[in-house]
Every structure is written in structure tokens, then in C-alpha cells.
Amino acid sequence: NSPNFRKTILAAAYNPFFPQPEEHLREQNRLTAKLATQQIKKVYIQFGTDLSRLRATLLYLQQLQREDCQFGICGSIFLPTPKLIAQQKFRPWNGVFLSQEFLESPQGAKGIVVQMMKLYEEFGCEILLEAPGVRNAKDCAVVEDLLNSMNSCRDDNDDDDDDDNSSSSSLARMDHDGVRKEDMKEQEHHDPKELKVNVKTSEGEREDGMVKRRRMGQEGLSHAGLSSGPPLISSIPSSPLAAEKLAKAAIVLFGSHDVRLHDNTALQMASHHSHVIPVFLWSRKEQGTWGVVGALEIVLKNALQKLRLKLEENGLKLICRMGEDSSILLDEMCEECNVGAVYWNKEHTTESRLKEEGYKNVLAGKGVEVVECQSSLLYDPMSPSLPTGFNGGHWGTLMPFLKGCMKQLGEPRKPIPRHETFALLARMQGPGVWPKGRLIEELDLAVVSGKDKWDRPILERFQMSEEDAVSNLDHFFQKGFANYEKERNRADIEGSTSNLSVHLRIGTLSPRELYYKVENSGLDYVDRKTFSRRLFWRDLAYFHLLNFPNMRDTSIRLHYDQTEWVNGEEEEKRLEAWKKGMTGYPLVDAGMRELYTTGWMTQSVRMVVASFLTEYLRVNWVKGCEWFHYTLVDADSAINSMMWQNAGRSGIDQWNFVMSPVAASQDGKGDYTRKWVPELSKLPKKVLHKPWEAPEQVMMTAGVILGDTYPHRIVVDLKAERQKSLDSVMTMRRKNQPFNSDRGYDLVTLPGGQQTVVFTLKEFRIDREGHVLKNAPTRKKKKTKSFGGSESVRRGKLSQQKQKVKSVK
């Protein structure tokens, strides 16, 4: 109480960038406790590159300030120099969390830092330059370039905010240990074009003063490793619409395939409008068999909830509406909001084409423009064309498709950097009055009732935000990507595959971002070729679906629908045992149990269980395709049906292998089977995947009783069952000679009416008399004509296709 008593003034460092929630909460509680002492007069935010987390942090600290906590805020900035980036790549500092985008290049790092500085200015914070600090002319060049870039960005937004006093910023400098040498001062408000810089001279003295911004010459910046000028958002595609349309609001439709803000072409193009209204329309009726059903609903709902939060962080909303006909819902919204245009990313499925055509029809003549975009694949399936016959591979197989895309279309468009997406969202404005909508939780989407909360294991394994997708992506490239070529088939090795398929399916991860992540990985092509082709397999599946719109339940090789499968009670018995993971074949059962519990299994195990169902249980591939679509979290009707068609031999690229359910090379250690078939966990590895061969004593010791604790095999003689499968195919082929070429290959009719040979297993190739060809005749080289004009497959209207599109129930 002494009048001479001087209250101690302290500052607190705060790191909001811990990636783990528990660590983040611990750090937040630590800060709250310090602020409760009422002796903290300044909070220093440590450096990190998560811009969304930084915005949330500033909002949090702003709220604490409103609650009578008297403290200023100072944000730490690292100078984005090549030297710093190289240092952080080689030996990152503990507690400093930097994104891959920051570490990839000085220009990317610069873009992130400029957005950080804008945020600090927006919230009236000081800015602290450290690591390495301002030590020489090169560092000054970097600082002034950052200030020039920041000033240019501010000038772009002058129409939104003309008040120079609405925000303030000052630059301070700390030594590397983070302790500020100057006396603590209350936060000052300066002219935004004049920022206080404290510079340490080469003699160790400090020069304090007001430094006017000036434009640096190119020479000084090139020495610093940067180019002059701000990181402009120049790579965002422009809208094709006239200025009067852009002056009106735009609706952006989100679907089940593009639930993201980054590298979303429709959102980017709509951002040129005065106002943007994000919308999700839900119709249970429109889903049918091959839409959003089952496990896919769970991850979609989670992704939409995360998208809603992300939009709200940027002052936007996700307007959800529900009804039987989404075109009517869209029409109503356009009238209510007086919009100038509607943007969406095409989904490229049979049903979505009908739905999107309905959108265009209902809006025709109403003054509302429609802009269709492409964001879910590397290429639009309508773009590539393939010549018939054999051209480095049969029509519709991977390599001709991949080479055709690259030759005709070039590499996919590069995504804009993430910090540019952040800036885009910061500028985007919603309408003055938002239209009414439903909560996501009010939609009849992923409604789980009863005691069995089957969605919980799925959500424990798959959280569907964009941040989760990027985190999974970075983790895989740090831990598993280099070994993918040799370990990708192993279900018993954690990290052997990327687990990114669900993020690609829902769209929380851009395929173009993944493509360039692979291409820029630094791995030799031979070490990354299989993974790099995965994205082209996705595109190929949609190319097939475009040309064969009924391929989810109708054989592409139409005559293969005549193949004889088991039926009646025998089919039901075999199919149910397979679905429940009770076939008596441990690897198959492990895969099916994992699928039913978590909605996922690795690709190699999917192939094992698919091969088992079609080759050995002799159940129609359509049954397996339907079950996979209902139970997979990454259920994709194009990719799923392509795999099942090939497994059932009726697809474009018949599998030229059979996956053994007993050899179990996918589970070399046995850990996978022990996890999902715990009743066998005590069996030794030698008999784990074929317990019927175990000695009686071994079975007793392991507590296994076949027919009791674990089922007997649903079929015993695998060789005989497969021979029946082969015989069924040969019988069908002999009855359908019009679909058999002179060289014994199957013929498939394409949408334009022309026929092409497709890959056919050697054991299925027959002559005109039905005899298996021992020595196929030499292929005659001839010129093939690419589809174009009247022969075009890519641009032929679906209404002209010979396969009529089945109505959606």
C-alpha cells in the first residue's frame, strides 16, 4: 500500500499453434492463469503458420480484452528468407509449427507472412520481427518488401475500410530469446503507413525511429531471396459473367464431392461477385441406390459441420435446405435472394448429370446464369478421347488413358497456395440479410437411432475437416510415402497406405493438391509411380461411368450379364457369411469385419474379399458392389463399380490374377487378422490364416473350436469352386460369338455405336468354334482413328447412347 510501490509489469508468451487439442488447451489454460494475476500487460503470440488458428486466437484474446483484461497484443513474425526456411527444414525448432507451404519456397512463406501481418493490423496488434531479426541491408529489404506487399493488399480493400484509425500496427524487435529490451509501453496507434522499427546495428547499438515505407529495388530483394511486389491472387480463375451479373449475389452449391474451401473452382469463380451465398441442398429421394447412403452419410455430415464452422470463421454461413426435388429448392432460393448466378462443381455421375440438367432447366429464362466447374477430379471426363483398339494398351485401360490425358490436356491445373485461399475468404462477403435454412443436424442425413451407435467407430477414425485432410496428407508423406511401393499391400503395417481416399471422395482434399504433392516429393519416378497413378485410376473410373452410365449394376461387356452365378438360398447363405465376416477364411473375415465396423479397409484387402466373393463363392459381383457402396466411408459409385466389374470379369480391364484368401501376404505378421478376428489371436502365425490345418493340441491351447468359437469354411474346395466360375464364363462366351473378335477378344459397343476390342484373359479367348486359342494370331498393326466429330465418345450426348439411363428411384 506504499505510495512508492511500483507494480510489476510482465509480458507472457503464448503459443496457440500446438496441433494436439490437449496441448492447445493446456497452453490456453496457462495463459488464462497468468492473466488472472492482473500483472500481464502484454501477450506475445509466438510464430506459427496456421492462419485460421491465428484468426481464432486473436478473436479469443480480443474477447479476453473485453472482459477487463488490460493487456496489449504483439505478434511474432519470422522473416521468410531462404536461410531461415533451409534451417527449419534441416533442424526445426521445438514449439515452432510451420506448414509445408511455408517450407516449400520463400514466395510461399512470404505470402503467409503478409496475411499474418494483415491479421495483426486488423486486430490492432504490434508486430515483432525475430528469427533472425533485422540485422543487415538484406533483412531490411525483406522487411520493406513485406510492408509494400501489405500496403498493396490494404489498398485493394480501401473501399471496404477507409478509416485509417480502424486498426493499428507497430513493429518491434526482440532478441532471439524472445525478451524485449525496451521498456514496456502501452499499445500505440500510428499511421498505418508508418511503422515503428527497432533495428540493431552492426556495432550492437539500437536505432529507434519512424521509418517511412519505400519501394525497394529489384537488386536488394534478389539478394534477399525474394521478388518484389505483393503475392497477388492472380491464379484464381475469373468469372465468365458480365459486370452487371457480378454486382448481384451468387449462390455456390456444395455437394457430397467438394466439401472444401481450398482449390474449390466454383467458390473461386463466385468470389468475384459482390456477395456469395454458400448452399447445401439435400434430397433423400435423389440419392437412390448409388448416392449418399450408409457410412458415407456419416462422414459427409461431419464434413459439412466442419465446413459450416470454417465459413463462420470468415463471416459466412452455410445455408442448408431439404426437400424431395433439389431443383425446386434452388429455384426458390434464387428468387428469394435475387441472385445473378449459380456456381457448382460437377459431380460426374449418372444421377448428378440428370440433377444438374434439372437445375439448368428450372433456371432457364429467369435471368440467372449457371456456371459449371470441375474440382473433384484431375480432368473433366468429357475432355480426353481415346482411339479404339490397342494403342499401348487396350481401350479404356490405365496407360492409354493416362498418356492421352497428359498429351491432350497437359498437367492438371495447379492449385493456388492456401494463404491465397485465406485472403480470398477474408474478402468475400455474404448478403446483408441471410436467407433462412436448416441446421445440418435437422437434415435426414446420417440419423443414427437406437443403442447401437455404429457411427462412433467411423468418427473416431475419420474426422473430416480440411485441416484433418492436410494433417493426414503431411503425416503420410513424412512417414509412409517413401515406402509405399514396397509396403502398400500390407494391412498389418500402420501407415502403409495414405488413408486419404475418404478425403478425396468427400472433397476435403483436392486431387490436384495431392497430385502436385506427389510430383514435387523429390522421389524418383520408380519409387512413386504406383501412388501417382492412383489419381488417374480415379479419373479413369469416371471416364468409364460417362461412357457406360449403367455400369454400377449392368455389365460393361453386356453379354456377361448372362454368366451363371449361384442363386437362391445358396447365394443368400454365402453372401451373408461374407458380409458378416464369418466365412471361415480368417483374412477375408478380418477385412469384412473392419469394413463393417469402421467403413474402411486397405485396397489390397478389398481386392482379396472381392476376388473371394466372385471367384470362389461365385456370387454376382453386383451384390458385392452394393454392399461396398453401403458400408464404405469412401463409397464412390464409379471407382467401386470399376473394381467390382473387373473382379467379376465384365469390366474393361479384367483382373489377370486371383487373390488367395489363404496365402495372406497382406498380413505377413498376422497382426491384422488377430485384431479383427480376436477369437483366433492365440494361434501361431503358421496356421493363423488356415486354422483347419492346425493340430488338435494347438487349437485347444488357443481356445479355438471350429464350428463353435469360429465358423467352418463356407466352401471347402477352392479349386473346384473356381473351376465352376471359369466354366460359367466359357459357357456364356460360347453363346455370344457376335461379341467375340477374330483373335478371341471380347467386343464392347461404345456410345457412338462403334465397337472396340477390350482386354480379355488368355484362358477366355476362343475361336469361332468355341475352342480355346492356344496361340493367338499376331496383332496386325494398323492406323486407328481417334474419336472426333461424329465418332466422339467424349462429347456424345448421353441421350444418344445405346444404353438408356435408368430412372433414379
Side-chain angles (χ1 to χ4, degrees):
N1 296 326
S2 169
N4 296 323
F5 174 76
R6 183 175 180 179
K7 189 173 183 180
T8 304
I9 298 177
L10 298 175
Y14 177 48
N15 187 350
F17 299 106
F18 286 104
Q20 297 302 322
E22 59 275 11
E23 293 177 333
H24 177 70
L25 181 61
R26 189 182 305 117
E27 179 75 355
Q28 198 172 76
N29 291 337
R30 187 184 66 82
L31 176 65
T32 303
K34 289 187 176 183
L35 291 174
T37 66
Q38 298 186 350
Q39 295 189 23
I40 302 299
K41 290 301 179 182
K42 188 156 293 187
V43 173
Y44 285 95
I45 301 176
Q46 295 176 227
F47 186 77
T49 56
D50 187 333
L51 294 171
S52 296
R53 179 70 67 86
L54 178 57
R55 180 189 289 278
T57 296
L58 291 170
L59 289 170
Y60 167 69
L61 294 177
Q62 189 179 68
Q63 180 62 34
L64 292 179
Q65 287 177 324
R66 293 195 186 105
E67 296 172 358
D68 296 328
C69 292
Q70 301 297 320
F71 63 88
I73 304 172
C74 185
S76 172
I77 293 294
F78 284 9
L79 295 187
T81 62
K83 181 178 180 181
L84 173 77
I85 293 172
Q87 181 186 47
Q88 294 302 310
K89 279 184 176 180
F90 176 69
R91 186 174 295 172
W93 295 335
N94 290 333
V96 177
F97 302 102
L98 307 178
S99 67
Q100 289 300 310
E101 183 178 323
F102 184 91
L103 296 172
E104 281 173 0
S105 71
Q107 281 304 108
K110 170 188 169 182
I112 293 173
V113 169
V114 168
Q115 293 304 319
M116 294 178 69
M117 294 172 70
K118 287 182 61 182
L119 278 175
Y120 284 133
E121 183 182 48
E122 177 185 343
F123 283 85
C125 306
E126 291 184 39
I127 297 176
L128 170 70
L129 295 177
E130 59 174 339
V134 183
R135 301 174 296 185
N136 51 44
K138 292 181 181 180
D139 293 338
C140 286
V142 175
V143 172
E144 297 201 30
D145 181 52
L146 291 173
L147 297 177
N148 285 332
S149 299
M150 187 178 169
N151 192 37
S152 297
C153 291
R154 184 194 296 109
D155 291 342
D156 292 338
N157 295 325
D158 276 348
D159 292 339
D160 299 327
D161 186 3
D162 293 324
D163 186 1
D164 285 345
N165 295 321
S166 63
S167 62
S168 63
S169 178
S170 62
L171 280 168
R173 182 184 182 280
M174 292 176 75
D175 286 345
H176 180 68
D177 60 5
V179 179
R180 193 178 184 207
K181 301 296 186 181
E182 294 84 354
D183 293 335
M184 300 287 289
K185 294 182 179 181
E186 294 298 321
Q187 186 172 330
E188 297 177 342
H189 294 266
H190 300 300
D191 186 318
K193 292 184 174 54
E194 291 187 342
L195 303 179
K196 186 172 183 179
V197 184
N198 300 300
V199 183
K200 188 174 183 179
T201 66
S202 58
E203 290 78 16
E205 299 175 355
R206 309 187 69 85
E207 294 180 357
D208 299 334
M210 302 301 293
V211 181
K212 293 284 185 179
R213 291 185 180 181
R214 67 180 185 276
R215 192 170 299 277
M216 296 296 297
Q218 184 64 38
E219 181 179 358
L221 289 177
S222 62
H223 283 310
L226 295 171
S227 61
S228 62
L232 299 176
I233 309 179
S234 57
S235 52
I236 293 178
S238 59
S239 173
L241 305 184
E244 59 268 22
K245 291 293 183 181
L246 298 179
K248 287 188 171 184
I251 284 177
V252 179
L253 293 180
F254 287 87
S256 66
H257 61 296
D258 63 348
V259 190
R260 68 175 182 274
L261 301 177
H262 180 60
D263 195 34
N264 185 318
T265 307
L267 182 67
Q268 291 173 352
M269 296 184 73
S271 69
H272 298 286
H273 284 255
S274 60
H275 301 90
V276 177
I277 307 172
V279 172
F280 176 74
L281 303 176
W282 173 250
S283 168
R284 167 66 64 186
K285 182 179 180 180
E286 290 175 352
Q287 302 313 309
T289 301
W290 305 109
V292 179
V293 294
L296 183 59
E297 294 184 49
I298 304 299
V299 289
L300 173 60
K301 183 175 183 178
N302 187 255
L304 289 169
Q305 291 169 330
K306 300 294 181 64
L307 175 66
R308 175 182 62 191
L309 293 175
K310 201 70 176 176
L311 287 168
E312 289 173 352
E313 288 178 9
N314 291 276
L316 301 168
K317 294 183 178 181
L318 179 63
I319 304 301
C320 299
R321 292 196 176 178
M322 180 175 67
E324 289 194 354
D325 189 336
S326 59
S327 62
I328 294 177
L329 299 175
L330 178 60
D331 185 33
E332 293 172 349
M333 284 207 67
C334 289
E335 291 188 7
E336 290 176 28
C337 304
N338 189 30
V339 303
V342 178
Y343 295 76
W344 67 74
N345 295 306
K346 293 185 287 186
E347 192 172 356
H348 304 300
T349 66
T350 306
E351 295 78 13
S352 68
R353 288 190 181 92
L354 295 174
K355 181 175 65 175
E356 290 159 7
E357 195 63 31
Y359 291 166
K360 288 183 279 189
N361 290 338
V362 78
L363 297 178
K366 295 190 175 182
V368 178
E369 300 288 344
V370 167
V371 182
E372 293 183 294
C373 307
Q374 200 295 109
S375 262
S376 60
L377 301 171
L378 297 180
Y379 305 98
D380 190 316
M382 297 286 288
S383 298
S385 61
L386 299 180
T388 57
F390 186 94
N391 296 273
H394 286 89
W395 185 93
T397 55
L398 179 65
M399 293 314 296
F401 178 79
L402 187 157
K403 292 176 181 178
C405 287
M406 296 299 285
K407 182 177 181 179
Q408 298 166 30
L409 308 172
E411 286 197 298
R413 179 177 64 82
K414 287 186 177 181
I416 64 173
R418 285 188 171 270
H419 69 264
E420 292 187 7
T421 298
F422 182 85
L424 178 151
L425 292 168
R427 293 198 317 273
M428 196 178 293
Q429 294 185 359
V433 178
W434 285 91
K436 293 182 179 180
R438 292 174 177 260
L439 295 174
I440 296 170
E441 294 74 17
E442 294 175 341
L443 305 176
D444 60 345
L445 171 69
V447 178
V448 178
S449 58
K451 295 181 180 180
D452 182 19
K453 301 299 182 182
W454 57 270
D455 59 325
R456 288 179 181 173
I458 293 175
L459 293 175
E460 287 173 1
R461 187 166 185 173
F462 300 103
Q463 283 293 302
M464 296 302 300
S465 71
E466 288 186 64
E467 289 79 8
D468 291 314
V470 172
S471 177
N472 290 1
L473 175 66
D474 290 342
H475 178 78
F476 173 65
F477 272 78
Q478 291 168 7
K479 304 293 185 181
F481 181 57
N483 297 319
Y484 182 82
E485 284 291 327
K486 62 181 180 181
E487 293 182 351
R488 66 183 185 274
N489 293 326
R490 295 292 295 273
D492 58 335
I493 297 178
E494 188 173 353
S496 60
T497 59
S498 69
N499 290 320
L500 293 172
S501 58
V502 63
H503 289 291
L504 289 168
R505 169 60 183 89
I506 294 296
T508 44
L509 178 65
S510 161
R512 293 183 290 235
E513 182 175 13
L514 179 56
Y515 173 84
Y516 282 102
K517 184 82 170 180
V518 173
E519 293 304 300
N520 299 329
S521 65
L523 280 185
D524 292 337
Y525 179 72
V526 68
D527 294 323
R528 58 179 170 84
K529 66 176 182 179
T530 301
F531 191 86
S532 67
R533 291 174 181 175
R534 295 297 190 199
L535 290 171
F536 285 93
W537 275 112
R538 292 183 76 245
D539 278 38
L540 177 60
Y542 281 88
F543 180 77
H544 286 181
L545 185 58
L546 170 68
N547 288 285
F548 307 101
N550 297 326
M551 65 180 272
R552 279 82 60 88
D553 52 19
T554 300
S555 296
I556 291 175
R557 309 181 194 214
L558 290 174
H559 49 300
Y560 277 60
D561 276 344
Q562 301 173 31
T563 303
E564 183 180 352
W565 306 91
V566 293
N567 52 44
E569 292 183 1
E570 185 63 22
E571 178 197 54
E572 183 178 353
K573 182 182 75 171
R574 295 184 178 195
L575 181 61
E576 287 304 307
W578 179 80
K579 286 181 178 180
K580 295 177 180 178
M582 297 294 285
T583 67
Y585 289 86
L587 181 61
V588 173
D589 293 343
M592 297 307 294
R593 293 182 192 186
E594 181 189 24
L595 171 64
Y596 191 74
T597 303
T598 70
W600 194 86
M601 69 172 98
T602 189
Q603 175 67 14
S604 61
V605 180
R606 296 186 195 197
M607 296 172 77
V608 169
V609 301
S611 182
F612 184 75
L613 185 70
T614 57
E615 293 280 358
Y616 298 115
L617 297 188
R618 297 188 291 116
V619 173
N620 193 325
W621 64 267
V622 176
K623 304 292 184 178
C625 189
E626 290 174 343
W627 184 247
F628 263 38
H629 189 78
Y630 183 77
T631 53
L632 281 170
V633 292
D634 59 2
D636 185 304
S637 67
I639 301 170
N640 191 32
S641 58
M642 181 176 72
M643 184 200 79
W644 278 101
Q645 287 255 14
N646 290 336
R649 312 176 196 88
S650 58
I652 291 296
D653 195 7
Q654 290 178 340
W655 282 357
N656 59 356
F657 52 82
V658 178
M659 306 292 284
S660 170
V662 178
S665 60
Q666 300 79 9
D667 189 22
K669 297 185 294 184
D671 293 345
Y672 179 72
T673 298
R674 290 190 178 95
K675 177 179 180 179
W676 293 106
V677 190
E679 60 266 42
L680 303 180
S681 61
K682 294 182 180 180
L683 284 176
K685 171 62 178 64
K686 185 177 181 180
V687 294
L688 176 62
H689 298 106
K690 41 187 176 181
W692 54 89
E693 293 186 3
E696 183 178 352
Q697 185 59 45
V698 171
M699 297 287 277
M700 290 179 60
T701 302
V704 178
I705 303 174
L706 295 181
D708 184 0
T709 62
Y710 185 69
H712 287 295
R713 288 170 286 173
I714 189 72
V715 293
V716 175
D717 193 337
L718 295 179
K719 185 177 180 180
E721 290 291 335
R722 182 160 191 270
Q723 187 58 52
K724 292 178 182 178
S725 292
L726 298 177
D727 291 344
S728 295
V729 174
M730 295 302 292
T731 299
M732 173 273 301
R733 292 216 66 223
R734 290 185 175 106
K735 291 179 180 179
N736 288 276
Q737 281 288 349
F739 296 99
N740 188 41
S741 77
D742 291 338
R743 298 182 62 247
Y745 285 81
D746 278 313
L747 293 170
V748 168
T749 303
L750 299 175
Q754 67 274 47
Q755 286 188 323
T756 184
V757 295
V758 290
F759 173 73
T760 306
L761 287 173
K762 188 174 182 179
E763 57 200 294
F764 294 156
R765 297 174 199 169
I766 56 175
D767 61 19
R768 292 302 183 190
E769 303 300 322
H771 303 124
V772 176
L773 292 169
K774 300 299 182 181
N775 296 305
T778 304
R779 180 184 298 111
K780 294 181 180 180
K781 292 184 179 180
K782 62 178 181 178
K783 293 183 179 180
T784 56
K785 187 174 182 180
S786 297
F787 296 159
S790 62
E791 292 186 336
S792 176
V793 169
R794 54 178 173 167
R795 302 191 186 280
K797 293 183 179 180
L798 295 180
S799 61
Q800 297 175 345
Q801 296 180 353
K802 288 194 171 182
Q803 295 187 63
K804 294 183 178 180
V805 177
K806 295 180 180 178
S807 59
V808 180
K809 296 182 179 180

